[in-house]
Amino acid sequence: MPSYEQLGDLLDPVSTVLLTVECQQGVVGPDSALPELAREARSSGALHHVARLVAAAHTSGVQVIHAIAERRPDGRGANRNARLFRAAERLPLQQLSGSTAVRLAPPIETTEEDFVVRRLHGLSPIHGTDVDALLRNLGCRTLIVTGVSANVAVPNAVFDAVNLGYSVVVPSDAIAGVPAEYTPAMIRNTLALVATIATTDEVLRCFERSAGRR
């Protein structure tokens, strides 16, 4: 884990953005299309920690962006070039634009200042979306990546952000994947090589310290 000073240097509220990845009702909610992932996101505490980080970001002036994956009812524009996409087409609950499934899942609360970026294709919350342009216009230097899943979308977001020149912080207890033991292995063997790994409490302490300086 980084030292408090190192993490504090990275998490200047003026140049830090918090990204939540696919924390939507159809993915991590009680009626999820992916019940195993939803159970893990909740039972591990990851969704709770994401909500804590979002609330603290609102208080400390850190910008929040929510990345949502959805599809049109007719499926046009969606990928079909991987088994994952074809399996998603057969799920009983679809992440349809405008439906309850693509609303943010409780206990995460949003404000009018939050950005919600929706994508109809691909695996990445960043590549091919508005996220990078928003980050640059916001003066972002450090991106905090949270949400699901540690299997696909979260590592995609981390790699894309690093390739685009951002520093990345991953709160290890605010991401989830399946099976449960995969997430710490992914963090230890992959994400730790390219991102700063911290805990939610460590990030929150940095937010609190920054808020106290204002």
Side-chain angles (χ1 to χ4, degrees):
M1 295 295 179
S3 72
Y4 185 69
E5 290 75 17
Q6 290 172 324
L7 192 60
D9 289 341
L10 283 173
L11 297 179
D12 179 353
V14 174
S15 58
T16 297
V17 173
L18 172 66
L19 179 71
T20 76
V21 177
E22 296 182 23
C23 292
Q24 58 205 72
Q25 294 193 35
V27 175
V28 295
D31 299 318
S32 169
L34 303 166
E36 183 182 3
L37 178 59
R39 283 194 297 271
E40 179 59 25
R42 292 176 175 276
S43 65
S44 68
L47 189 61
H48 171 68
H49 291 313
V50 174
R52 293 175 64 208
L53 287 163
V54 169
H58 293 155
T59 301
S60 60
V62 171
Q63 179 65 55
V64 179
I65 299 178
H66 304 285
I68 301 294
E70 57 183 47
R71 60 185 288 120
R72 288 167 48 117
D74 60 12
R76 294 182 66 188
N79 289 64
R80 299 199 73 257
N81 58 331
R83 187 174 67 178
L84 176 65
F85 300 124
R86 295 191 292 273
E89 288 182 342
R90 298 191 295 270
L91 292 172
L93 177 67
Q94 296 291 309
Q95 313 296 319
L96 298 182
S97 301
S99 70
T100 302
V102 297
R103 296 177 186 171
L104 284 161
I108 297 171
E109 296 185 355
T110 63
T111 69
E112 293 181 354
E113 287 74 28
D114 293 1
F115 289 100
V116 178
V117 176
R118 303 179 183 278
R119 79 178 194 275
L120 292 170
H121 59 83
L123 300 170
S124 174
I126 297 178
H127 179 72
T129 74
D130 290 337
V131 170
D132 180 40
L134 290 173
L135 294 178
R136 294 190 186 283
N137 289 345
L138 291 164
C140 177
R141 294 178 59 193
T142 301
L143 184 66
I144 304 170
V145 178
T146 66
V148 296
S149 72
N151 305 76
V152 179
V154 166
N156 261 265
V158 172
F159 295 147
D160 284 348
V162 170
N163 284 330
L164 289 166
Y166 301 103
S167 296
V168 178
V169 172
V170 177
S172 58
D173 51 359
I175 66 170
V178 290
E181 61 270 19
Y182 180 76
T183 300
M186 164 60 81
I187 292 170
R188 182 174 60 254
N189 297 304
T190 302
L191 299 186
L193 302 178
V194 295
T196 297
I197 309 302
T199 66
T200 294
D201 284 344
E202 287 173 333
V203 173
L204 292 179
R205 283 197 293 271
C206 290
F207 284 1
E208 289 167 2
R209 182 180 70 171
S210 298
R213 288 176 174 173
R214 291 188 296 172

